[in-house]
Amino acid sequence: ESKGIQVAEEYCKNTFQLPLYIKPYDGSSSVDNYVIKNKDEMTEYHFENKKLMFLEYLDHDFYDEFTCDLYYTKNGYLKCVVPRQRLFVRAGEVNKGLIKKNELVPFIKKQLNKIDGVRGCLTVQFFMHKETKDIYGIEVNPRFGGGYPLTHSSGANYVQWILKEYLLGEDLSNNYYEDWAEDLLMLRYDGEVLVCDLDDTLYNELEFLKSAYWEICFNLKPKDVYTLFNFVFSLYRNGENPFLYLSETFCVPIEQLLNTYRTHTPKIKPFPGVLNVIKEVKKKNGKLGI
């Protein structure tokens, strides 16, 4: 408001008007967001949750929604504005976006030309009326947004500017940039990878340790490998250093013992069910990572 930008009216919870938009003041991914058109859609949860704001509803039938990537130089001056129209949104993240050179560009240049304390990429969301072109600001995120690759592809290389300013010491404050391409459309592609921890997720780490201690003890050729193994394992259980004991007792470099520990072929099996999960993922052409 101090920058001359309209915002959706926030209602008191006992004097609101319908239709109503409810969202948490610290939310993300559209969790706990509600469009309320009838009073019977409201619950006690909406009134009792102190994080939920009751806001004027800006109807998508009348407003287009835009995410604008703004770049600010070291001294807080605006260098670039790129509006991305949010054509399709899923879980709060833009899934389909379109670059537009529209009324938002001169509006933002005028109203937000300098903001003290802002550096780098500022992601600001706006609603613009389809006919009257009235503009409302709805959200500010001081970071790169999830849809920034579309801005980058249009020719506004914010990453390069950060490198120039902060690593090369260049002054970019007197060089406003608007030579980016409009009407560029981008779709988000999701590629999921199942990434598993190895120790104590796929395999029991303690079984690997026992396997390694047995290999080390066996290679040292003691009179009684079982007794030595049990003693070494008890040292580990008591928080002592088995490698130091074995090195001093058998005159073997610790590095040699550690190499055996790390490179031996362990006699272990995965936890029950692990192989079935991996087979199912592979059957569906999924990607796996460890």
Side-chain angles (χ1 to χ4, degrees):
E1 290 178 327
S2 69
K3 295 291 184 179
I5 298 174
Q6 297 183 88
V7 296
E9 183 179 351
E10 183 174 0
Y11 301 121
C12 293
K13 290 191 175 183
N14 55 0
T15 57
F16 58 87
Q17 297 180 25
L18 295 176
L20 177 70
Y21 188 63
I22 297 178
K23 67 173 293 185
Y25 63 76
D26 63 348
S28 66
S29 303
S30 293
V31 176
D32 263 355
N33 281 225
Y34 308 90
V35 176
I36 305 295
K37 295 187 176 180
N38 300 303
K39 206 165 186 177
D40 57 7
E41 296 173 358
M42 305 186 73
T43 67
E44 290 184 10
Y45 176 75
H46 296 132
F47 292 96
E48 293 174 357
N49 188 335
K50 294 181 179 180
K51 289 188 175 184
L52 296 182
M53 300 185 294
F54 283 24
L55 301 167
E56 173 188 2
Y57 177 56
L58 302 174
D59 196 329
H60 278 100
D61 288 341
F62 304 104
Y63 290 86
D64 289 323
E65 185 177 358
F66 293 86
T67 297
C68 296
D69 292 318
L70 285 54
Y71 186 90
Y72 283 87
T73 59
K74 273 186 175 183
N75 52 9
Y77 281 99
L78 183 66
K79 177 177 174 62
C80 185
V81 177
V82 181
R84 298 184 273 111
Q85 186 174 356
R86 293 160 70 91
L87 299 179
F88 180 68
V89 178
R90 184 180 67 203
E93 291 283 349
V94 62
N95 191 263
K96 182 189 296 184
L98 178 67
I99 294 285
K100 300 297 292 184
K101 281 188 177 179
N102 55 22
E103 292 81 359
L104 279 166
V105 176
F107 175 80
I108 293 171
K109 284 177 67 176
K110 179 182 177 182
Q111 307 301 133
L112 300 175
N113 183 56
K114 188 177 191 300
I115 305 179
D116 292 334
V118 173
R119 304 287 185 272
C121 187
L122 190 71
T123 303
V124 190
Q125 289 174 231
F126 295 91
F127 274 70
M128 186 166 69
H129 198 280
K130 296 179 180 180
E131 295 181 1
T132 66
K133 304 304 178 183
D134 285 346
I135 294 170
Y136 286 80
I138 64 164
E139 190 166 324
V140 179
N141 292 291
R143 56 171 171 79
F144 283 90
Y148 167 74
L150 177 52
T151 291
H152 190 93
S153 299
S154 75
N157 193 336
Y158 291 9
V159 178
Q160 185 183 68
W161 295 340
I162 287 175
L163 295 175
K164 284 184 175 182
E165 281 201 288
Y166 294 93
L167 292 185
L168 303 181
E170 295 187 22
D171 183 4
L172 305 180
S173 57
N174 296 321
N175 185 18
Y176 183 82
Y177 183 85
E178 53 188 353
D179 192 23
W180 41 268
E182 69 171 328
D183 295 327
L184 182 66
L185 178 71
M186 185 177 283
L187 309 180
R188 177 177 295 222
Y189 167 76
D190 293 329
E192 296 185 2
V193 180
L194 176 63
V195 181
C196 301
D197 184 36
L198 186 66
D199 298 336
D200 288 334
T201 301
L202 302 184
Y203 290 91
N204 186 329
E205 185 176 7
L206 192 60
E207 292 303 311
F208 174 89
L209 183 141
K210 288 179 177 179
S211 173
Y213 283 174
W214 175 264
E215 185 84 5
I216 290 169
C217 292
F218 183 83
N219 290 344
L220 292 173
K221 297 182 170 36
K223 291 182 179 179
D224 186 344
V225 66
Y226 293 99
T227 300
L228 179 62
F229 168 78
N230 289 327
F231 181 72
V232 166
F233 188 66
S234 69
L235 290 176
Y236 163 77
R237 284 294 203 186
N238 290 324
E240 299 180 49
N241 190 335
F243 299 104
L244 183 60
Y245 166 79
L246 292 171
S247 175
E248 293 176 348
T249 303
F250 292 89
C251 297
V252 177
I254 288 182
E255 291 75 14
Q256 179 180 324
L257 301 174
L258 287 173
N259 184 62
T260 302
Y261 182 91
R262 292 167 180 156
T263 62
H264 86 289
T265 302
K267 297 177 177 63
I268 55 176
K269 293 182 179 180
F271 284 117
V274 165
L275 291 179
N276 291 335
V277 171
I278 291 175
K279 287 176 182 177
E280 285 299 312
V281 172
K282 294 184 73 175
K283 189 187 299 183
K284 297 177 180 179
N285 296 318
K287 295 182 180 181
L288 290 164
I290 295 179

